[in-house]
């Protein structure tokens, strides 16, 4: 009996260390998250895995591996666990709906910060009004929810705290 080997796949190195010559073992954006963003506040990571292709799963896995380094929860969901709030945002991402409602929904779902890998996600390069730039280098940009917007997202339409 002859066995056919599986098709050659696209392999990537896990993001365990920065490729720069820096003495740090973490990417600069991760160091920024560790130093500047509060623990327990969720991050939305873009690009998101839009499908179950090999490249899509690779992107999802990278964000999960980065989460083990910075320790902040990510809104993207984990593995096959896709909470309904993430599915709603993912549907808008798939449709390219990056309007003000998308960013409001992301903030309402708890996104304290948005991490964007610029070379793989060029759909949105203008900072939404609810966020400000907290970090930027040649590969990544981090937008953080403005404090006044964060406070408003904790208030229902009646003006009373949730």
């Amino acid at each position: 009996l002859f066995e056919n080997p599986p098709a050659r796949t696209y392999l990537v190195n896990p993001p365990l260390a920065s490729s720069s010559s820096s003495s740090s073992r973490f990417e600069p954006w991760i160091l920024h998250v560790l130093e500047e963003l509060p623990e327990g506040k969720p991050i939305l990571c873009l690009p998101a895995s839009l499908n179950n292709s090999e490249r899509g799963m690779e992107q999802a896995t990278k964000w999960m591996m980065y989460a083990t380094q910075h320790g902040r929860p990510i809104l993207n969901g984990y593995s096959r666990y896709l909470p309904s709030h993430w599915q709603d945002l993912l549907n808008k991402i798939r449709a390219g709906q990056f309007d003000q409602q998308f960013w409001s929904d992301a903030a309402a779902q708890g996104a304290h910060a948005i991490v964007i890998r610029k070379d793989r996600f060029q759909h949105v390069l203008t900072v939404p009004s609810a966020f400000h730039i907290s970090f930027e280098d040649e590969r990544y940009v981090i937008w953080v929810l403005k404090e006044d917007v964060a406070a408003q997202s904790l208030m229902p339409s009646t003006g009373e705290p949730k």
Side-chain angles (χ1 to χ4, degrees):
L1 287 170
F2 295 99
E3 186 175 333
N4 290 330
R8 185 164 181 83
T9 59
Y10 174 75
L11 300 176
V12 296
N13 293 322
L16 297 178
S18 172
S19 57
S20 70
S21 60
S22 133
S23 61
S24 170
R25 54 177 249 196
F26 295 132
E27 293 274 357
W29 75 269
I30 292 175
L31 292 174
H32 178 80
V33 168
L34 288 168
E35 295 168 3
E36 302 295 329
L37 300 184
E39 291 184 27
K41 296 286 186 174
I43 297 173
L44 172 60
C45 303
L46 299 172
S49 173
L50 297 180
N51 55 45
N52 291 329
S53 70
E54 188 172 349
R55 189 171 284 276
M57 297 312 289
E58 176 244 339
Q59 184 61 60
T61 302
K62 277 191 174 182
W63 290 128
M64 287 187 285
M65 290 182 71
Y66 284 136
T68 66
Q69 294 175 346
H70 59 65
R72 303 321 185 257
I74 59 174
L75 287 181
N76 300 49
Y78 290 91
S79 187
R80 295 283 181 208
Y81 172 66
L82 298 174
S84 60
H85 66 269
W86 171 242
Q87 192 63 53
D88 293 342
L89 288 177
L90 188 57
N91 289 337
K92 290 180 180 183
I93 292 170
R94 286 180 176 144
Q97 295 177 347
F98 298 103
D99 54 10
Q100 192 60 41
Q101 186 61 49
F102 174 85
W103 302 111
S104 296
D105 290 349
Q109 296 301 333
H112 176 75
I114 298 172
V115 178
I116 298 174
R117 182 163 172 186
K118 298 189 294 188
D119 63 335
R120 293 206 180 161
F121 192 80
Q122 290 111 15
H123 303 291
V124 181
L125 296 177
T126 304
V127 182
S129 61
F131 294 84
H132 67 88
I133 294 176
S134 175
F135 172 87
E136 187 167 13
D137 67 9
E138 64 279 354
R139 291 179 60 206
Y140 294 92
V141 63
I142 299 175
W143 300 338
V144 173
L145 192 63
K146 293 178 181 174
E147 288 186 32
D148 59 330
V149 175
Q152 288 175 6
S153 69
L154 297 175
M155 303 288 279
S157 58
T158 62
E160 297 175 23
K162 288 184 180 176

